[in-house]
Amino acid sequence: MATYSVPSRVREGAATPITDLDRYREAWAHAERDPNGFWLEVARERLRWRKEPTRGLDGDFDSIMDGPLSWFGDGTLNVCENCVDRHAAAHGDRVAILWEGDDPSETRTLTYRELHREVQKAANALRELGLKKGERAIIYMGMVPEAAIAMLACARIGAIHSVVFGGFSAEALRDRVRDCGAELVITQDWGLRGGKKIPLKSVVDEAVTGEPGVKKVLVYRRTGDEVGWDEDRDVWWHDAVGSASETHEAPALEAEHPLFILYTSGSTGRPKGVVHTSGGYLTYVSYTHATVFDLRPDDVYACVADVGWITGHSYIVYGPLANGATTLMFESIPTHPSPARYWDLVARHRVTIFYTAPTALRALAAQGNEHVLAHDRSSLRVLGTVGEPINPEAWEWYFGVVGEGRCNVVDTWWQTETGGIAISPIAPATPTKPGSATHPLPGILPSLRTPEGKLVRGPGQGLLCLDHPWPGQARTVWGDHERFVSTYFAHVPGVYFTGDGCRRDEDGYYWITGRVDDVLNVSGHRMGTAEFESALVAVEEVAEAAVVGYPHPVKGQGVYAYVVPQPGETIDEAKLTAACRTSIGAHARLDRVQVVPGLPKTRSGKVMRRILRKIAEGAGDELGDISTLADPSVVDKIKAGAILEG
Ligand code: WTA
């Protein structure tokens, strides 16, 4: 395994803010020339280490099959201390978490001092409940400050958290509990979202009953509505945390100690538990959060994602708190109680940096500008988007209408696996083009490749790969390093394959074109076609199913299911919907269902998804050569068939 040693003299400037294009070019060149020197300097500058690292990267992509990469391998730190304690000491009265409930009149603030007290109590409570370093805790909650406190308390004691989005079904939750071998589940009685109550505790009950590994369920009381109770297993947050001691000494942990597991969909099989570790991850999210958004001490920063996804981990909790910022947590949805909710939120809290997804912008733009214009947005300075390609119209609307043409728009491309933003404008420095994620951040070396792995040079289109490791990248798949290697490093040996297609224009700007694998991106939610298909074929009347995405004006992609009935059976669409809901969750909706007599297959029995995608896109006349199909006539039958709107 190759080892990169640390230069004895660290170059100056890696931690200097990037405020113009020259400085960006300098920083990017520095990180390319000397990644260890660059990142060690950033790591030492931005974080408080118990033992400062002297090593940068150990390992490389060529030898990834031998084991995970390591960054800052001889350093130790405590992530929670970095996010809380040091800011409580330096500016304890600054608001750390600004929370707005589902009902806009309900708000809470937690200063860094208060957050410090709460995480110490929660850490003590978790230890009392028997949770130890290296053990796993599942967090299945809505957007309440206690979700962040639970994450930070796990990090503090070295327990590994796995947050599961509160829309996932009991079945999906059980799979994750089992896969990571969770000892503890942290949840709340009910969630609130868009005026609806979500039975979080009851889903947990269904998921963990009969799971002997789960020793305790810790329950935060959000609404006070009734819940089922297991006296031996269930513990109220207000009892356990309420009575816990207010001081907890944060232990020093290894830089490569796992911080969290986050399950994400791939093109095949069950979701993968993507593992992120401590020192490199925190360095990367702290650096990118400050750099991309041009963070300033008096900013009110609002990312309206959910902590159940990577955006919530990196840019609601860890990045902003590592930077001592004020981070807003939003419990509701953009259209509750009206489509003016975001702009009302911006006006009332004087939000300076706002970060959302293109799907929300498209949905809101369709409601008319008056909702935006009715609220004061003069506080806004930087507007971010993430999760899917942003179409130029939505970009222009964000820039022109929301931002009054005076804010920097940052279209940030990244993934669960990259840990943090990888290709994006840097707010004060990068000239933008609507719809382009522009340029790689320092330390990110993108390349475009043909399906055969050949390098595309200059302007052109190809598979987006990243050629050199960066500190924030996922280290492995929980319990299955081989799957990590075969998923990300087998397409093109020696580089990381993102799963996205991308175009580079004549000015060197990157334009992400979307997934090239069988991963769907529906309203910024990443879902595998395989997960839908396994839910559908489990329905008694279904013989076969194939699911593809198609362009959807608001969601980005819609879910299109082709279903072949068992001989003599008829398909009840409601049953299909219910099956997806049970197996995946409430967010797994079928937009279109088509009952078909058969699927287009090659003679060797492989489903030709390319053909199904074309038909779903409405481009059934451009199928090209279908003579390799076992039964080409099936294509005409599918094209002639009726679609059921979901
Ligand atoms: C897509 C979300 C275009 C992409 C942070 C990626 C984007 C997947 C952008 C990861 C963007 C994310 N432009 N596409 N700015 N941001 N994507 O893991 O296809 O939930 O591979 O992480 O979202 O989704 P994930």
Side-chain angles (χ1 to χ4, degrees), residues 61 445-458 460-468 491-498 500-504 510 516:
F61 286 161
L445 276 61
S447 66
L448 304 184
R449 312 263 171 172
T450 66
E452 295 73 41
K454 256 186 63 202
L455 208 54
V456 177
R457 292 181 196 279
Q461 184 140 359
L463 308 175
L464 178 63
C465 296
L466 304 179
D467 290 6
H468 189 274
H491 287 73
V492 189
V495 303
Y496 168 79
F497 172 57
T498 64
D500 281 331
C502 183
R503 182 169 69 81
R504 187 170 45 218
Y510 287 82
V516 294

Side-chain angles (χ1 to χ4, degrees), residues 264 309-311 385-390 411-417 423 437 498-500 512-515 521 524-526:
T264 192
W309 311 112
I310 191 69
T311 305
T385 72
V386 59
E388 42 171 333
I390 181 164
D411 169 10
T412 66
W413 175 87
W414 59 294
Q415 316 177 288
T416 304
E417 295 87 341
I423 302 181
T498 64
D500 281 331
I512 314 294
T513 52
R515 302 289 306 196
N521 193 330
H525 293 166
R526 184 169 156 181

Side-chain angles (χ1 to χ4, degrees), residues 168 176 262-274 309 415-417 483 487-488 498 515 517-521 525-532 584 587:
F168 277 109
R176 287 155 175 76
L262 188 58
Y263 286 86
T264 192
S265 301
S267 41
T268 53
R270 306 300 309 162
K272 296 180 286 286
V274 169
W309 311 112
Q415 316 177 288
T416 304
E417 295 87 341
R483 191 168 174 207
T487 306
Y488 304 110
T498 64
R515 302 289 306 196
D517 53 9
D518 291 319
V519 172
L520 303 176
N521 193 330
H525 293 166
R526 184 169 156 181
M527 290 182 278
T529 53
E531 292 163 63
F532 278 100
I584 307 169
H587 57 297

Side-chain angles (χ1 to χ4, degrees), residues 87 112 285-286 289 295 301 313-327:
H87 307 303
Y112 274 96
V285 295
S286 164
H289 178 253
L295 187 72
Y301 165 86
H313 284 64
S314 301
Y315 298 111
I316 295 177
V317 179
Y318 289 115
L321 294 178
N323 291 338
T326 296
T327 183

